[in-house]
Amino acid sequence: MTTEPHSFPRRHARTQRFTLGAPRSFTVAPDGSRVVFLRSGSGTDRANSLWVLDLEEGGERVAADPRALLGGATEDLSPEERARRERSREGGAGIVGYATDSAVELASFALSGRLFAAELRAGTARELPAPGPVIDPRPSPDGRHVAYVARGALRVVGAEGEDDRALAEPESENVSYGLAEFIAAEEMGRSRGFWWAPESDRLLMARVDDTPVRRWWIADPAHPEREPQRVPYPAAGTGNAEVRLFVVGLDGLRTEVAWDRARFPYLAHVHWSAAGAPLLLVQARDQRSQLILAVDPDSGATRMVHADEDRTWLDLFPGVPCWSPSGQLVRIADEGGARVLAVGDRPLTGALLHVRAVLDVSEHDVLVSASAGAEAAGEAETGQVHVYRVNELGVERVSQEPGVHAAVRAGEVTVLVSATLNRPGSRAQVLRDGKPTRTVPSYAEDPGMSPRVTLTEGGARRVPCAVLMPRDYDGDTPLPVLMDPYGGPHGQRVVASHNAHLTSQWFADQGFAVVVADGRGTPGRSPAWEKAVHHDFTLSLDDQVDALEDLAKRHPLDLSRVAIRGWSYGGWLAGLAVLRRPDVFHAGIAGAPVTDWALYDTHYTERYLGTPAEHPESYAKSSLVTADGLSSPAEPHRPLMIVHGLADDNVVVAHALRLSSALLAAGRPHEVLPLSGVTHITPQEQVAENLLLLQVDFLKRSLGITTP
């Protein structure tokens, strides 16, 4: 009996977008002897193991196998760990994160709420006795201790399992030590709440008090017997968690770090290395001013190292601020209309590069991730992100082939992870002195399809676009159009990467010309491009329309049948499209849409729109619930499907319900698809598969497409 092959939607869900089995989370030993990473056993295996690649002998070995360590038992995740994974969009299992000492000889990780340590040279792992559930364990730089969080307390234990003790315990149920608060993890890129001193004798520790934050209730209507979950959610214009910082010794004695928390309440970044005093990046609530502070760990006093101000907002960047080994401040800044790397008082890059992140800082150079700046950008560079070495002598590109690249480096060894348009998945190469020495094997499945994608630009503003046609397309017949954007901050969709376009290609193969457009507000071009949406998200829709109309002059697009789909910001954009521009868009699918920005979180929403009290007009203009013409009978009423997970704690289901109520009151037909037990991501295999199939059915019905 022949087994029917699984459909693309099923394989896409089962393989978690064809990422399972690919090596990730690399760490390079400073002596260049080994590379540590995570990888699951196959393209359908969710459970990651901890691996060591011996660069001297050339072989790989498993340092920690979650199945062996748990004796085959099922993982049991605490609510706190589930929340951490939701914030990081982590859909894997087994060992999903780890930390090492400075020599990369000892690794620690949590597994099913239990604490484990692995000797990376020997390739052995053991459990350390610790009260659980354990969260975010991190070895001291000298490898003699492991600090971790359990039930809101910051604890430390000897690397051999001796002398476990609490360094700080919560004073109430609303207080935690050593964890990042919601908006730090969701919006600031800060997923941790404690940092070891380079001498391993003390730590910096965040204290979070959620008392000022409003409580929301998230229920599962499909299980009325279960109690609703009570969560603190800092909606725009409401109270944030109170975050304080302490230096704490291994004896539990603590000293508070002092800065003007009333003016700069956001603790956005912490850096502590042997090159200088601990560094903090603190922001004002409106994110138009920020300070880089150096901390005296003995007294807790701080001094200003650098101050920034911006009329719109100040962005946060991975890897900075930090000290160089010689003690110079390394930062990324928007200066002279460009996003530049600065070391000390000197910018080392200019308008030709749009710097995105600092990956490593050595005595000789800074390794950065960057795309072409506004002056250098063009169709040939569309969607590309490269790795560069930068120093006072100039800029050298490390990644060569067109694509999207990232890197991890220590000493002379770099792991370069590259995705290209003409190769499925990503390839991880180990470079020594810039020359490839070997490739880390990937067990990810081949998708079995290659996108028929053209990267181009559209409209007067040269909006980056990807155009995908059916793989069997004859090249002449005008096709109905499906716009498939994210369209907002932090979400670049037009990338020179094969797997990034797989779902769009599957939709194209159903008979659509699929267009992905990254308009103003999306990352990758220039500070002015990203900040154009200040106080007006609706510019995102203008750019979608401009790009579509321009592309129709060069591609066989049937503009009488145009649909749009999206998730999160893209879901909001899809809803906005059919409500504001029914003359252009004939159907829409709004997945987990933010329909009322006053219901979204403080750090994200206030950065772009200000507070609801100070800028009500910005919120009204960008709201779907108060959309202009919502109740006008003169406009065409376009079909709209609203999809939302009932367990979503990021964009809560109230967004979808309020939009549905407003549409119903206005007499506008629409469909609502509630997803029971689903959060902001849809890890459930059958749900993810059927969601794609239902969307295609809705689009064909709405646009009058008959299936042969």
Side-chain angles (χ1 to χ4, degrees), residues 489-518:
H490 314 297
Q492 184 177 1
R493 287 284 316 281
V494 181
V495 291
S497 169
H498 179 283
N499 283 25
H501 302 288
L502 290 175
T503 301
S504 295
Q505 183 62 56
W506 180 79
F507 274 100
D509 289 343
Q510 312 309 307
F512 298 92
V514 178
V515 174
V516 183
D518 282 347

Side-chain angles (χ1 to χ4, degrees), residues 278-530:
L279 283 178
L280 312 181
L281 175 61
V282 295
Q283 280 191 327
R285 177 149 178 171
D286 65 8
Q287 299 170 66
R288 295 183 184 183
S289 58
Q290 64 186 25
L291 301 178
I292 300 175
L293 304 173
V295 180
D296 180 343
D298 293 324
S299 67
T302 57
R303 62 178 174 85
M304 187 179 74
V305 177
H306 184 82
D308 286 303
E309 291 188 356
D310 192 282
R311 289 181 298 175
T312 51
W313 70 73
L314 291 157
D315 278 303
L316 302 173
F317 307 104
V320 288
C322 66
W323 296 119
S324 72
S326 62
Q328 290 185 294
L329 181 66
V330 180
R331 60 190 179 90
I332 296 172
D334 294 346
E335 295 180 359
R339 183 152 294 156
V340 301
L341 172 73
V343 178
D345 296 325
R346 181 180 175 185
L348 296 187
T349 61
L352 296 181
L353 280 188
H354 184 73
V355 180
R356 294 166 173 255
V358 166
L359 307 175
D360 183 57
V361 183
S362 73
E363 295 179 3
H364 309 292
D365 60 38
V366 181
L367 196 70
V368 303
S369 168
S371 47
E375 292 188 10
E379 280 197 353
E381 295 290 328
T382 297
Q384 296 191 47
V385 181
H386 285 281
V387 175
Y388 297 84
R389 294 176 58 240
V390 181
N391 57 27
E392 293 184 350
L393 300 178
V395 176
E396 176 188 358
R397 200 166 93 177
V398 175
S399 51
Q400 297 301 319
E401 58 183 342
V404 177
H405 306 267
V408 175
R409 183 181 73 172
E412 299 175 349
V413 174
T414 301
V415 178
L416 180 67
V417 181
S418 305
T420 66
L421 276 175
N422 58 9
R423 185 177 60 238
S426 59
R427 180 175 65 188
Q429 289 183 296
V430 179
L431 314 180
R432 190 179 289 275
D433 295 325
K435 299 177 181 179
T437 61
R438 64 172 296 150
T439 300
V440 182
S442 173
Y443 303 150
E445 286 195 3
D446 189 315
M449 61 186 288
S450 293
R452 182 177 174 174
V453 58
T454 300
L455 299 185
T456 183
E457 296 176 340
R461 298 182 191 88
R462 298 172 38 235
V463 172
C465 296
V467 181
L468 297 99
M469 294 294 187
R471 286 174 292 165
D472 60 357
Y473 178 56
D474 61 16
D476 297 318
T477 307
L479 293 175
V481 183
L482 175 61
M483 302 292 286
D484 192 15
Y486 178 78
H490 314 297
Q492 184 177 1
R493 287 284 316 281
V494 181
V495 291
S497 169
H498 179 283
N499 283 25
H501 302 288
L502 290 175
T503 301
S504 295
Q505 183 62 56
W506 180 79
F507 274 100
D509 289 343
Q510 312 309 307
F512 298 92
V514 178
V515 174
V516 183
D518 282 347
R520 287 170 291 176
T522 58
R525 174 164 287 186
S526 71
W529 179 267
E530 296 179 12

Side-chain angles (χ1 to χ4, degrees), residues 71-117:
T74 303
E75 285 187 76
D76 181 19
L77 302 182
S78 67
E80 294 81 5
E81 179 62 21
R82 291 185 187 278
R84 276 173 51 85
R85 296 190 186 192
E86 182 70 21
R87 300 285 73 77
S88 63
R89 310 298 189 260
E90 173 60 67
I95 304 169
V96 299
Y98 68 95
T100 71
D101 61 355
S102 59
V104 192
E105 295 185 351
L106 180 73
S108 64
F109 55 91
L111 190 58
S112 199
R114 294 153 56 185
L115 176 60
F116 292 88

Side-chain angles (χ1 to χ4, degrees), residues 52 61-64 118-125:
V52 176
R61 61 178 179 272
V62 177
E119 298 287 350
L120 298 174
R121 286 187 181 273
T124 58

